[in-house]
Amino acid sequence: MSNFIVKKVAVLGAGVMGAQIAAHCINARIPVVLFDLPAKEGPKNGIAIKAVENLKKLSPAPLGNPADAAFIGVANYDDDLEQLRGCDLIIEAIAERMDLKHGLYQKVSPFIAPHAIFASNTSGLSINALAEGFSSELKARFCGIHFFNPPRYMHLVELIPTTGTRADILDDLEAFLTSALGKGVVRALDTPNFVANRVGIFSILATIAEADKFGLSYDVVDDLTGAKLGRAKSGTFRTADVVGLDTLGHVIRTMQDNLADDPFASVYVTPKPLADLIAKGSLGQKSGAGFYKKSGKDILRLDPATGDYVASGKKADDVVMRILKKKDVAERMKLLRESTNPQAQFLWAIFRDVFHYIGVHLGAIANNARDVDFALRWGFGQDQGPFELWQAAGWSQVAQWVKEDIDAGKALSSAPLPAWVFDGRAGVHTAEGSYSARTNRYEARAQLPVYGRQLFPAVLFGEAAPPSGKTSFEDESIRLWSLDDEILIVSIKTKVHAIGPGVIAGLGRAIALAEADYHGLVVWSPDEPFSVGADLQAMLPLFMTGGVKAIEPEEKKLQEAMLALRYANVPTVAAVSGMALGGGCELALACARRVANLESYMGLVEVGVGLVPGGGGLMYGARRAAEERALAPDTYLLDYLKKYLMNAATASVSKSAIEARQMGYLLGADVIVLNRYELLAVAINEARAMYASGYRAPLKAGIPVAGRSGLATITGQLINMREGGFISAHDFHLGRTIAEVMCGGDVEPGSLVSEEWLLAHERAAFMSLLTHPKTQERIMGMMQTGKPVRN
C-alpha cells in the first residue's frame, strides 16, 4: 500500500472561501499557496495579500492563531503557475460560473503534476460539466470538494466524483480530509446542489413558505427553528443573513435552472422578500442589513408587508414550548400535528415537507439515507438528520400522516411517497447499514483505514452502537472503563462535566486502579465539553451549612487529586475537546500529556466569579515560568511569569488549541488533533507509547519564585491599571491575590518553594475570597444568569 502524503496545497481563488480553506490548511500545518488574479495596481500579488490580511480580522477566526497568516504563500496566475508543479492537491475556489472556471482550468492544467489531485470547491455546479475538455488522465484525478462556510468550523465536506474519477483518488482524498483537516466526508452524487444544500435549501424555502402561510414573523420562526429543534441557535432567517443572502439566492437559482421537471419545482422560486433584499444590496450580515439589521444596540427585523424594519424579540408560545420539551419524539410529533396552535401547525408542516422531500428524492440525491442525515447534521448544524427524526418519531405512523396531508392537498407537492416507504420497515438506519433507494439494500459504512482511528464515530439513530467497553466502576459522577484492558479511561458524567466531590473521589479511585492494573490512564468523555470546572451548585449546600470551613477540605481533596494525576506511576493523558475552563483546565494541566482537538478552548476563568484558581492552576503557572526561565538563566523570572499571571487575572480563554499552546496550557510534546472523533484513539496511543518507553513520573523539585520584589513590581502595575480606570477595585484585589500566590508569598526573590507550598497559598487565597461580598455577588450572578458580573 502506498501513502498519499499532501506536502503542499494550492488554492485557486482568494475570495472568502478560498482564503479560509487556505487558512485551515495552515491550522493543520500543511504548506499552502493562495492564487488569484494579478493586481492592476501595486504588487502583482496584491489581491491574495489583501485576502490573507483580511483573515486576521474575520470572526469567527479562520486561523487558530492569526499570526499564522504569515505562513500562507501568495501567488498570481501570470507569474507563479510553475509553483503548481510542487503541489499534491489543487483546490479551485473561484466564482460559481462555469465559463470562468473553464477559462482558469485551461490556464493551469499544463502545470498540474501527474500525481496531483485537482478539485473544485463548487456548491452546486455539475462536476462532469466542469471536467469537460480535460484529458481522460486529468479527469481521473478531478472531483468536486465542497467545503461549508466557515471551513474551519463546519465539519462537512462533500466529495463529488466525475464519471471517470479513479476510486483510489477519492479514497486518498477522503482520508486526507478526515484525518488531516478534521472533516466529516459525505460522497455526493453529481446532482444540482449535491446533498446538504439540496435538502437544506429546500428546507429553508419550505420554512419561508409555511411561515407566510401561518402568518409568523421572522423572529418567531427563528425562535421556533433554532436550538428548540436541535438546530443552529440562529434559526432560519438569521442564519441566512450570516451565510449571505446573495449566496442563498445563487443556490436557489441553481435549483431553478436545473430542476424544472422536479415535482417540487414550484417551491424553487426565490421568495419575494429575499429577491427584494438582494436587489437592494441588503445581503445580510456582511452588508449590515438583511432579514435583520442592527440599530444601535437593538436588533430589528424586516416586516415583509411594509418593507420596513421593526422591533424584534417575539418568542414561541408557551403551549408550543411545552410540546417541544417532551422527551418522546413520537409524542412530540403527534402533539404538533394535532394542535390547533398556528406555531405548532407550522412546525408539523416544515417537518412534513422535509420528510416528503427526502422520501421522494432519496434515490436521486444521495447514495443512502446515512449520507443525507450526516450532510444535514454536519453542514447545517442539526442534532439529528431528517431521516433519523422520522425514524425516531415512528416510521410507519409518520409516513401515513405525510400521505394523508399529500392526499388532502396540504403538502407543497402532490408527488406520492415511493413504495419503499410503506414496505413495513421500521426505518432506514439499522445495524446492517443505511437504506439506499438506488440499490434497494442497506449499505454499510465505508471501511477505509482512516476510520479505524474513530473508536466512537458519530452514530445515527437506529444504527448499531459502538462497543461500550468494560466498566470497572461507575456511579452518577464518573465511569472508569477500558477498551483493551491496557489503558483505563475516565469519563466524567456530570452535567457539562463539572467537577464536584463525586468526580474528585472518582479521580482518586481511577489513579489507584490504573497504577494497580493498567498501563496508563486517559481522561476522555464521549461528548463535549471536556469540563467547565468546579460544580458551584454542589458546593453551595456545603457553604450554606458549614461556611468556608466546610469548603476547605473539598478544595484540598481537589488539589491532592491534581497532584496525584501529575505524580501517578503510569502515564496520564487528557483528551481535550471543547471547553476546558477553570478546574477543567487544571485537570488537563495536571496530566502528564494532553491530546487536544483544534477546537479546544482552555482557560483559568475563576476571576469571572470573583475567585482565583484553586486546583493548582496558579501553581502550574509559577512552575512553568520557572521551567522556561531555567532554559535562559540570565533572564528575569518575571518575564516568564507575566504570561501565566495575565492569563489567570484576565480570565483569558484560548480560541483554539494552537492558541492554548501559545498561552502555555499545551506543551511541545502535546498533540493537536483536528478530527475530534480521532481524539480517544490518539490519546490511548500516546499513553501506550509513553508506557512502552519506560515512563516515570517527574521528580519533585523546588520551584524558584519571584518573591516579595516580584509582587511589588506587579502590584505597581495593577495600581496604574486601577487608577487609569481599566480595572475595578475588586479586579485589583483579585489580580494582586493571584500575583501573591504565583510569586510565592512574602519570601526572598529566587527562594525555592515546593508545589505544596504554592498550593497551600492558592487554597488560602481561594478560601479568603469566598467570604468577600463582591465575590459572592459574582457567584450568585453567574448561577442566576450564566454571565459574569463586573463589579
Side-chain angles (χ1 to χ4, degrees):
M1 184 183 77
S2 61
N3 289 332
F4 174 68
I5 299 175
V6 176
K7 297 182 287 294
K8 189 173 184 180
V9 173
V11 179
L12 311 181
V16 173
M17 284 298 291
Q20 291 195 64
I21 292 169
H24 194 55
C25 289
I26 292 300
N27 289 334
R29 296 305 184 248
I30 300 164
V32 63
V33 57
L34 181 63
F35 280 80
D36 211 295
L37 295 166
K40 295 179 181 177
E41 297 178 356
K44 287 193 80 172
N45 290 331
I47 295 174
I49 291 170
K50 184 178 179 181
V52 171
E53 283 300 308
N54 285 339
L55 289 171
K56 302 175 187 177
K57 306 171 188 176
L58 292 178
S59 180
L63 288 157
N65 172 20
D68 286 349
F71 291 112
I72 301 175
V74 294
N76 69 81
Y77 302 129
D78 281 0
D79 303 333
D80 303 312
L81 291 180
E82 282 290 337
Q83 292 190 42
L84 294 176
R85 298 189 192 278
C87 296
D88 307 291
L89 172 61
I90 299 167
I91 300 172
E92 169 270 306
I94 67 170
E96 289 283 79
R97 279 180 49 183
M98 192 76 70
D99 58 334
L100 295 180
K101 291 179 186 285
H102 278 155
L104 180 61
Y105 296 172
Q106 290 177 6
K107 195 166 192 173
V108 303
S109 294
F111 299 89
I112 298 174
H115 72 284
I117 296 176
F118 187 29
S120 174
N121 180 61
T122 175
S123 61
L125 296 180
S126 168
I127 303 304
N128 283 287
L130 285 172
E132 288 177 2
F134 285 175
S135 67
S136 59
E137 194 276 332
L138 181 55
K139 185 179 288 188
R141 294 183 282 119
F142 179 77
C143 65
I145 181 173
H146 182 207
F147 288 84
F148 276 65
N149 190 23
R152 169 183 163 184
Y153 301 95
M154 297 305 292
H155 192 58
L156 178 65
V157 173
E158 292 175 317
L159 273 188
I160 313 98
T162 70
T163 54
T165 306
R166 289 196 335 243
D168 64 303
I169 291 291
L170 291 170
D171 290 349
D172 287 343
L173 192 50
E174 182 168 348
F176 168 76
L177 290 166
T178 299
S179 199
L181 295 189
K183 297 304 173 188
V185 174
V186 166
R187 294 203 187 182
L189 305 175
D190 190 14
T191 59
N193 290 341
F194 313 130
V195 182
N197 275 344
R198 179 71 177 272
V199 179
I201 297 303
F202 169 81
S203 178
I204 290 172
L205 290 170
T207 299
I208 294 173
E210 300 292 1
D212 181 63
K213 176 180 175 182
F214 289 99
L216 304 184
S217 60
Y218 298 153
D219 48 357
V220 170
V221 170
D222 281 349
D223 190 50
L224 287 167
T225 60
K228 293 179 176 63
L229 292 192
R231 300 180 181 180
K233 65 180 180 180
S234 50
T236 301
F237 294 99
R238 204 176 296 274
T239 297
D241 275 355
V242 172
V243 170
L245 303 189
D246 52 341
T247 302
L248 177 60
H250 168 79
V251 181
I252 293 171
R253 282 195 303 276
T254 300
M255 297 169 83
Q256 292 170 2
D257 295 343
N258 296 280
L259 296 169
D261 296 330
D262 189 295
F264 292 84
S266 62
V267 184
Y268 308 149
V269 175
T270 306
K272 187 177 185 303
L274 175 61
D276 290 345
L277 287 168
I278 294 172
K280 289 192 301 186
S282 298
L283 305 178
Q285 186 171 283
K286 60 187 172 185
S287 67
F291 289 113
Y292 295 89
K293 80 171 183 179
K294 194 170 184 181
S295 177
K297 294 183 178 180
D298 297 326
I299 302 295
L300 306 180
R301 65 165 175 85
L302 180 69
D303 179 352
T306 64
D308 297 327
Y309 286 92
V310 299
S312 67
K314 293 181 181 178
K315 301 290 186 180
D317 290 343
D318 288 343
V319 65
V320 179
M321 287 290 296
R322 288 195 293 273
I323 293 173
L324 293 178
K325 288 179 180 179
K326 298 286 185 182
K327 292 184 178 180
D328 184 81
V329 182
E331 182 185 7
R332 198 160 66 229
M333 201 67 71
K334 181 176 185 292
L335 290 172
L336 289 174
R337 184 173 187 269
E338 293 177 351
S339 173
T340 58
N341 182 284
Q343 293 181 14
Q345 293 176 339
F346 160 78
L347 287 175
W348 160 250
I350 64 172
F351 285 133
R352 174 204 63 217
D353 294 340
V354 173
F355 296 155
H356 186 191
Y357 192 79
I358 59 176
V360 169
H361 283 305
L362 175 58
I365 65 172
N367 287 309
N368 53 60
R370 179 192 311 110
D371 290 345
V372 173
D373 279 345
F374 278 144
L376 272 294
R377 279 171 60 166
W378 296 339
F380 279 78
Q382 298 184 5
D383 289 348
Q384 276 190 310
F387 277 119
E388 282 186 283
L389 186 61
W390 184 350
Q391 185 165 337
W395 182 269
S396 297
Q397 178 61 79
V398 170
Q400 183 59 37
W401 287 338
V402 174
K403 181 181 183 302
E404 290 173 8
D405 280 9
I406 297 169
D407 294 342
K410 296 179 181 180
L412 296 179
S413 168
S414 60
L417 288 171
W420 65 264
V421 171
F422 299 100
D423 64 3
R425 69 182 61 241
V428 289
H429 303 306
T430 69
E432 182 184 351
S434 293
Y435 182 70
S436 169
R438 295 167 63 82
T439 62
N440 193 31
R441 60 185 177 88
Y442 290 92
E443 296 185 346
R445 291 192 178 215
Q447 297 300 307
L448 296 178
V450 69
Y451 292 119
R453 294 164 59 90
Q454 297 188 10
L455 303 180
F456 288 84
V459 177
L460 298 168
F461 180 88
E463 282 190 313
S468 58
K470 186 173 82 173
T471 299
S472 300
F473 172 82
E474 186 170 12
D475 62 15
E476 67 277 4
S477 298
I478 208 160
R479 180 188 178 212
L480 311 182
W481 57 288
S482 176
L483 288 169
D484 57 8
D485 292 326
E486 288 186 16
I487 305 299
L488 183 67
I489 302 168
V490 177
S491 293
I492 301 173
K493 294 172 55 182
T494 55
K495 185 178 180 181
V496 293
H497 303 148
I499 300 172
V503 173
I504 295 169
L507 288 171
R509 182 189 289 265
I511 294 164
L513 183 60
E515 289 182 335
D517 298 327
Y518 293 87
H519 294 172
L521 183 152
V522 169
V523 183
W524 173 86
S525 297
D527 56 334
E528 294 181 349
F530 177 73
S531 172
V532 299
D535 188 345
L536 294 176
Q537 294 282 2
M539 293 294 185
L540 188 60
L542 285 173
F543 182 74
M544 296 300 289
T545 57
V548 171
K549 290 183 179 180
I551 299 292
E552 186 166 9
E554 296 304 317
E555 187 67 15
K556 193 169 190 298
K557 289 178 185 176
L558 173 64
Q559 292 182 339
E560 289 170 346
M562 298 304 180
L563 275 184
L565 275 173
R566 172 165 166 75
Y567 290 106
N569 290 308
V570 292
T572 57
V573 180
V576 181
S577 185
M579 292 182 292
L581 305 179
C585 183
E586 291 169 319
L587 174 59
L589 298 179
C591 291
R593 187 158 298 173
R594 286 139 295 279
V595 174
N597 178 235
L598 176 67
E599 303 309 329
S600 293
Y601 312 115
M602 303 179 69
L604 300 171
V605 297
E606 285 82 356
V607 297
V609 288
L611 294 169
V612 297
L618 300 184
M619 179 271 288
Y620 171 85
R623 175 171 59 78
R624 283 298 302 149
E627 290 169 350
E628 291 170 6
R629 190 250 185 173
L631 300 176
D634 294 332
T635 56
Y636 294 104
L637 178 59
L638 273 183
D639 291 341
Y640 300 94
L641 188 64
K642 183 169 70 172
K643 172 176 69 176
Y644 295 99
L645 191 150
M646 291 303 293
N647 284 347
T650 60
S652 297
V653 177
S654 71
K655 298 179 182 66
S656 69
I658 296 169
E659 190 174 31
R661 178 166 277 156
Q662 290 181 306
M663 294 170 71
Y665 295 147
L666 296 182
L667 306 183
D670 295 334
V671 180
I672 296 176
V673 176
L674 270 78
N675 196 318
R676 67 184 181 91
Y677 294 110
E678 296 182 355
L679 198 64
L680 179 59
V682 176
I684 288 173
N685 286 339
E686 285 292 310
R688 283 176 179 154
M690 292 167 73
Y691 178 84
S693 62
Y695 174 80
R696 299 291 298 177
L699 296 172
K700 290 195 173 186
I703 299 170
V705 293
R708 62 177 68 95
S709 66
L711 177 59
T713 301
I714 295 167
T715 301
Q717 295 171 345
L718 289 170
I719 289 172
N720 290 337
M721 293 176 69
R722 184 186 62 189
E723 292 182 348
F726 297 105
I727 59 175
S728 69
H730 195 47
D731 287 329
F732 170 82
H733 179 59
L734 291 167
R736 193 183 186 285
T737 302
I738 290 170
E740 188 171 3
V741 174
M742 295 182 79
C743 289
D746 187 18
V747 297
E748 288 293 324
S751 296
L752 292 180
V753 302
S754 67
E755 289 172 312
E756 287 80 6
W757 169 276
L758 290 168
L759 286 173
H761 279 67
E762 190 172 317
R763 188 167 65 251
F766 186 90
M767 293 301 115
S768 68
L769 284 165
L770 275 176
T771 59
H772 197 294
K774 292 291 186 182
T775 288
Q776 291 177 359
E777 286 177 14
R778 291 192 182 189
I779 291 173
M780 293 308 297
M782 177 65 74
M783 292 176 66
Q784 290 170 1
T785 69
K787 297 179 181 179
V789 174
R790 306 311 302 175
N791 57 358

